[in-house]
Amino acid sequence: MNELISVAVPVSPLRQRLIDDMSMRHFSRETQRNYIRDVGRFATFLGRPPDTATADDLRSFQIDQRDNGVPVPTMNSIVAALRFFFNHTLDRPDLARRLVRIKQMRKLPVVLSRDEIARLLGATTCLKHQAALSVAYGAGLRVAEVSMLKVRDVDSERMLLRVERGKGGQYRNAMLPADLLTLLRQWWKLGQEQGVMHRDGWLFPGQHAMKPISTRQLHRIVVEAARAAGITKRVCPHTLRHSFATHLLEDGVDIRIIQALLGHAKLENTAFYTKVATRTVRAVISPLDKLGLFTPGAAPPG
């Protein structure tokens, strides 16, 4: 009988050094995968190892991206990967400075109303999906953070969710609302009955209990729930995080507290939600209204 022998593909020393640099900084698996892909894209363009690149090579690469219609967000993501590679893996900050990050107009995020959120969560097809999306909205987590939560990350005594795999490998505490804890306990009980939940396991297991639910599956779950709820807005998992921040802002929560809950490094990223907080705008009284010129019984101007 013929035996199939799997041969491990050797990893070049340079690539392994990049992986080690990212692992040392606790980069998420998704970030590491993206950085490796983007550095590899540059190496393919170059036609030789990327550690032999010159400033002219970087300039030619970015011009080629522009001419080929690469979207601006993608170009900036590649810049982030290459800057890390040249700054940390090669210790060549002189080359990293040659990379140009392209400015882009930031679009206003899609935000769901509270009624739409309730309809979306009610339209999920199972308790696990409802619990996962409720975490995204109730705690304001990124989709990758929801995916990587473990059962032990739920701290019911302090009413916190420990986010150990946040953006950039950052650790933080997220809020754990009482209603969300109730829902998670229901999911824990059902998950144990189904044999997929374990105290040291993932809070939201994937198709295989030893692996977490994928971000792609969470995206599909949100889209399908929105469609079932009759929501016509373009919705993704991050929409729930946008809605969390906007609703807190509309309720008068201090913006620096929201910044901490979201794990934003810069306040300007959190302040962006003031542009979509419609309830906050409606609460402001215009100077025109204070003149009382057009209210019934007001004296005509003159």
PDB file of all heavy atoms in Angstrom, residues 117-136:
ATOM      1  N   ILE A 117     -30.902  46.874  15.827  1.00  0.00           N
ATOM      2  CA  ILE A 117     -30.037  45.940  16.560  1.00  0.00           C
ATOM      3  C   ILE A 117     -30.886  44.824  17.162  1.00  0.00           C
ATOM      4  O   ILE A 117     -30.546  43.630  17.067  1.00  0.00           O
ATOM      5  CB  ILE A 117     -29.260  46.666  17.673  1.00  0.00           C
ATOM      6  CG1 ILE A 117     -28.189  47.589  17.076  1.00  0.00           C
ATOM      7  CG2 ILE A 117     -28.624  45.655  18.630  1.00  0.00           C
ATOM      8  CD1 ILE A 117     -27.004  46.874  16.471  1.00  0.00           C
ATOM      9  N   ALA A 118     -31.992  45.200  17.794  1.00  0.00           N
ATOM     10  CA  ALA A 118     -32.864  44.197  18.419  1.00  0.00           C
ATOM     11  C   ALA A 118     -33.412  43.234  17.376  1.00  0.00           C
ATOM     12  O   ALA A 118     -33.467  42.010  17.608  1.00  0.00           O
ATOM     13  CB  ALA A 118     -34.003  44.901  19.154  1.00  0.00           C
ATOM     14  N   ARG A 119     -33.806  43.759  16.223  1.00  0.00           N
ATOM     15  CA  ARG A 119     -34.323  42.896  15.153  1.00  0.00           C
ATOM     16  C   ARG A 119     -33.240  41.969  14.630  1.00  0.00           C
ATOM     17  O   ARG A 119     -33.493  40.778  14.368  1.00  0.00           O
ATOM     18  CB  ARG A 119     -34.884  43.758  14.030  1.00  0.00           C
ATOM     19  CG  ARG A 119     -36.239  44.374  14.347  1.00  0.00           C
ATOM     20  CD  ARG A 119     -36.547  45.567  13.468  1.00  0.00           C
ATOM     21  NE  ARG A 119     -36.233  45.321  12.057  1.00  0.00           N
ATOM     22  CZ  ARG A 119     -36.024  46.304  11.180  1.00  0.00           C
ATOM     23  NH1 ARG A 119     -36.063  47.567  11.561  1.00  0.00           N
ATOM     24  NH2 ARG A 119     -35.767  46.011   9.916  1.00  0.00           N
ATOM     25  N   LEU A 120     -32.036  42.483  14.459  1.00  0.00           N
ATOM     26  CA  LEU A 120     -30.938  41.666  13.940  1.00  0.00           C
ATOM     27  C   LEU A 120     -30.608  40.522  14.896  1.00  0.00           C
ATOM     28  O   LEU A 120     -30.462  39.369  14.481  1.00  0.00           O
ATOM     29  CB  LEU A 120     -29.715  42.535  13.692  1.00  0.00           C
ATOM     30  CG  LEU A 120     -28.512  41.850  13.028  1.00  0.00           C
ATOM     31  CD1 LEU A 120     -27.777  42.825  12.107  1.00  0.00           C
ATOM     32  CD2 LEU A 120     -27.523  41.320  14.064  1.00  0.00           C
ATOM     33  N   LEU A 121     -30.486  40.837  16.182  1.00  0.00           N
ATOM     34  CA  LEU A 121     -30.151  39.797  17.159  1.00  0.00           C
ATOM     35  C   LEU A 121     -31.276  38.768  17.262  1.00  0.00           C
ATOM     36  O   LEU A 121     -31.024  37.577  17.475  1.00  0.00           O
ATOM     37  CB  LEU A 121     -29.882  40.426  18.529  1.00  0.00           C
ATOM     38  CG  LEU A 121     -28.653  41.340  18.622  1.00  0.00           C
ATOM     39  CD1 LEU A 121     -28.521  41.924  20.018  1.00  0.00           C
ATOM     40  CD2 LEU A 121     -27.377  40.588  18.243  1.00  0.00           C
ATOM     41  N   GLY A 122     -32.502  39.235  17.091  1.00  0.00           N
ATOM     42  CA  GLY A 122     -33.635  38.314  17.155  1.00  0.00           C
ATOM     43  C   GLY A 122     -33.762  37.432  15.933  1.00  0.00           C
ATOM     44  O   GLY A 122     -34.469  36.423  15.958  1.00  0.00           O
ATOM     45  N   ALA A 123     -33.081  37.821  14.852  1.00  0.00           N
ATOM     46  CA  ALA A 123     -33.191  37.066  13.591  1.00  0.00           C
ATOM     47  C   ALA A 123     -32.109  36.010  13.441  1.00  0.00           C
ATOM     48  O   ALA A 123     -32.057  35.325  12.414  1.00  0.00           O
ATOM     49  CB  ALA A 123     -33.135  38.037  12.403  1.00  0.00           C
ATOM     50  N   THR A 124     -31.229  35.884  14.429  1.00  0.00           N
ATOM     51  CA  THR A 124     -30.188  34.853  14.345  1.00  0.00           C
ATOM     52  C   THR A 124     -30.823  33.469  14.437  1.00  0.00           C
ATOM     53  O   THR A 124     -31.911  33.305  14.995  1.00  0.00           O
ATOM     54  CB  THR A 124     -29.158  35.020  15.472  1.00  0.00           C
ATOM     55  OG1 THR A 124     -29.846  35.140  16.734  1.00  0.00           O
ATOM     56  CG2 THR A 124     -28.315  36.271  15.261  1.00  0.00           C
ATOM     57  N   THR A 125     -30.126  32.490  13.908  1.00  0.00           N
ATOM     58  CA  THR A 125     -30.728  31.162  13.764  1.00  0.00           C
ATOM     59  C   THR A 125     -30.442  30.210  14.923  1.00  0.00           C
ATOM     60  O   THR A 125     -31.047  29.149  15.007  1.00  0.00           O
ATOM     61  CB  THR A 125     -30.242  30.497  12.462  1.00  0.00           C
ATOM     62  OG1 THR A 125     -28.805  30.430  12.472  1.00  0.00           O
ATOM     63  CG2 THR A 125     -30.705  31.305  11.257  1.00  0.00           C
ATOM     64  N   CYS A 126     -29.510  30.562  15.803  1.00  0.00           N
ATOM     65  CA  CYS A 126     -29.219  29.688  16.942  1.00  0.00           C
ATOM     66  C   CYS A 126     -28.647  30.512  18.085  1.00  0.00           C
ATOM     67  O   CYS A 126     -28.236  31.666  17.909  1.00  0.00           O
ATOM     68  CB  CYS A 126     -28.262  28.563  16.550  1.00  0.00           C
ATOM     69  SG  CYS A 126     -26.583  29.107  16.180  1.00  0.00           S
ATOM     70  N   LEU A 127     -28.610  29.915  19.268  1.00  0.00           N
ATOM     71  CA  LEU A 127     -28.174  30.625  20.472  1.00  0.00           C
ATOM     72  C   LEU A 127     -26.712  31.041  20.385  1.00  0.00           C
ATOM     73  O   LEU A 127     -26.336  32.126  20.838  1.00  0.00           O
ATOM     74  CB  LEU A 127     -28.410  29.733  21.706  1.00  0.00           C
ATOM     75  CG  LEU A 127     -28.163  30.389  23.064  1.00  0.00           C
ATOM     76  CD1 LEU A 127     -29.059  31.608  23.259  1.00  0.00           C
ATOM     77  CD2 LEU A 127     -28.398  29.376  24.187  1.00  0.00           C
ATOM     78  N   LYS A 128     -25.862  30.199  19.795  1.00  0.00           N
ATOM     79  CA  LYS A 128     -24.441  30.552  19.676  1.00  0.00           C
ATOM     80  C   LYS A 128     -24.262  31.805  18.838  1.00  0.00           C
ATOM     81  O   LYS A 128     -23.504  32.698  19.198  1.00  0.00           O
ATOM     82  CB  LYS A 128     -23.647  29.394  19.066  1.00  0.00           C
ATOM     83  CG  LYS A 128     -22.145  29.715  18.944  1.00  0.00           C
ATOM     84  CD  LYS A 128     -21.336  28.520  18.461  1.00  0.00           C
ATOM     85  CE  LYS A 128     -21.422  28.345  16.976  1.00  0.00           C
ATOM     86  NZ  LYS A 128     -20.433  27.351  16.471  1.00  0.00           N
ATOM     87  N   HIS A 129     -24.953  31.881  17.725  1.00  0.00           N
ATOM     88  CA  HIS A 129     -24.841  33.048  16.851  1.00  0.00           C
ATOM     89  C   HIS A 129     -25.371  34.299  17.547  1.00  0.00           C
ATOM     90  O   HIS A 129     -24.758  35.366  17.472  1.00  0.00           O
ATOM     91  CB  HIS A 129     -25.624  32.812  15.561  1.00  0.00           C
ATOM     92  CG  HIS A 129     -25.052  31.712  14.722  1.00  0.00           C
ATOM     93  ND1 HIS A 129     -25.685  31.239  13.584  1.00  0.00           N
ATOM     94  CD2 HIS A 129     -23.911  30.987  14.844  1.00  0.00           C
ATOM     95  CE1 HIS A 129     -24.955  30.269  13.049  1.00  0.00           C
ATOM     96  NE2 HIS A 129     -23.882  30.097  13.797  1.00  0.00           N
ATOM     97  N   GLN A 130     -26.487  34.145  18.241  1.00  0.00           N
ATOM     98  CA  GLN A 130     -27.055  35.290  18.956  1.00  0.00           C
ATOM     99  C   GLN A 130     -26.096  35.775  20.039  1.00  0.00           C
ATOM    100  O   GLN A 130     -25.906  36.982  20.220  1.00  0.00           O
ATOM    101  CB  GLN A 130     -28.396  34.917  19.577  1.00  0.00           C
ATOM    102  CG  GLN A 130     -29.118  36.106  20.218  1.00  0.00           C
ATOM    103  CD  GLN A 130     -30.444  35.700  20.825  1.00  0.00           C
ATOM    104  OE1 GLN A 130     -30.510  34.801  21.662  1.00  0.00           O
ATOM    105  NE2 GLN A 130     -31.520  36.361  20.406  1.00  0.00           N
ATOM    106  N   ALA A 131     -25.478  34.854  20.748  1.00  0.00           N
ATOM    107  CA  ALA A 131     -24.537  35.223  21.807  1.00  0.00           C
ATOM    108  C   ALA A 131     -23.304  35.909  21.232  1.00  0.00           C
ATOM    109  O   ALA A 131     -22.819  36.910  21.774  1.00  0.00           O
ATOM    110  CB  ALA A 131     -24.141  33.985  22.610  1.00  0.00           C
ATOM    111  N   ALA A 132     -22.777  35.392  20.127  1.00  0.00           N
ATOM    112  CA  ALA A 132     -21.578  35.973  19.516  1.00  0.00           C
ATOM    113  C   ALA A 132     -21.839  37.398  19.040  1.00  0.00           C
ATOM    114  O   ALA A 132     -21.030  38.314  19.287  1.00  0.00           O
ATOM    115  CB  ALA A 132     -21.100  35.100  18.360  1.00  0.00           C
ATOM    116  N   LEU A 133     -22.968  37.615  18.362  1.00  0.00           N
ATOM    117  CA  LEU A 133     -23.282  38.956  17.873  1.00  0.00           C
ATOM    118  C   LEU A 133     -23.620  39.889  19.037  1.00  0.00           C
ATOM    119  O   LEU A 133     -23.338  41.087  18.977  1.00  0.00           O
ATOM    120  CB  LEU A 133     -24.448  38.904  16.882  1.00  0.00           C
ATOM    121  CG  LEU A 133     -24.236  38.070  15.617  1.00  0.00           C
ATOM    122  CD1 LEU A 133     -25.343  38.339  14.615  1.00  0.00           C
ATOM    123  CD2 LEU A 133     -22.879  38.331  14.997  1.00  0.00           C
ATOM    124  N   SER A 134     -24.206  39.353  20.097  1.00  0.00           N
ATOM    125  CA  SER A 134     -24.512  40.166  21.276  1.00  0.00           C
ATOM    126  C   SER A 134     -23.235  40.627  21.976  1.00  0.00           C
ATOM    127  O   SER A 134     -23.183  41.724  22.531  1.00  0.00           O
ATOM    128  CB  SER A 134     -25.389  39.377  22.256  1.00  0.00           C
ATOM    129  OG  SER A 134     -26.649  39.087  21.688  1.00  0.00           O
ATOM    130  N   VAL A 135     -22.192  39.808  21.932  1.00  0.00           N
ATOM    131  CA  VAL A 135     -20.897  40.215  22.481  1.00  0.00           C
ATOM    132  C   VAL A 135     -20.312  41.355  21.655  1.00  0.00           C
ATOM    133  O   VAL A 135     -19.788  42.327  22.190  1.00  0.00           O
ATOM    134  CB  VAL A 135     -19.918  39.019  22.519  1.00  0.00           C
ATOM    135  CG1 VAL A 135     -18.491  39.486  22.783  1.00  0.00           C
ATOM    136  CG2 VAL A 135     -20.336  38.035  23.603  1.00  0.00           C
ATOM    137  N   ALA A 136     -20.424  41.238  20.331  1.00  0.00           N
ATOM    138  CA  ALA A 136     -19.891  42.277  19.454  1.00  0.00           C
ATOM    139  C   ALA A 136     -20.553  43.617  19.730  1.00  0.00           C
ATOM    140  O   ALA A 136     -19.892  44.661  19.767  1.00  0.00           O
ATOM    141  CB  ALA A 136     -20.067  41.883  17.991  1.00  0.00           C
TER     142      ALA A 136
END
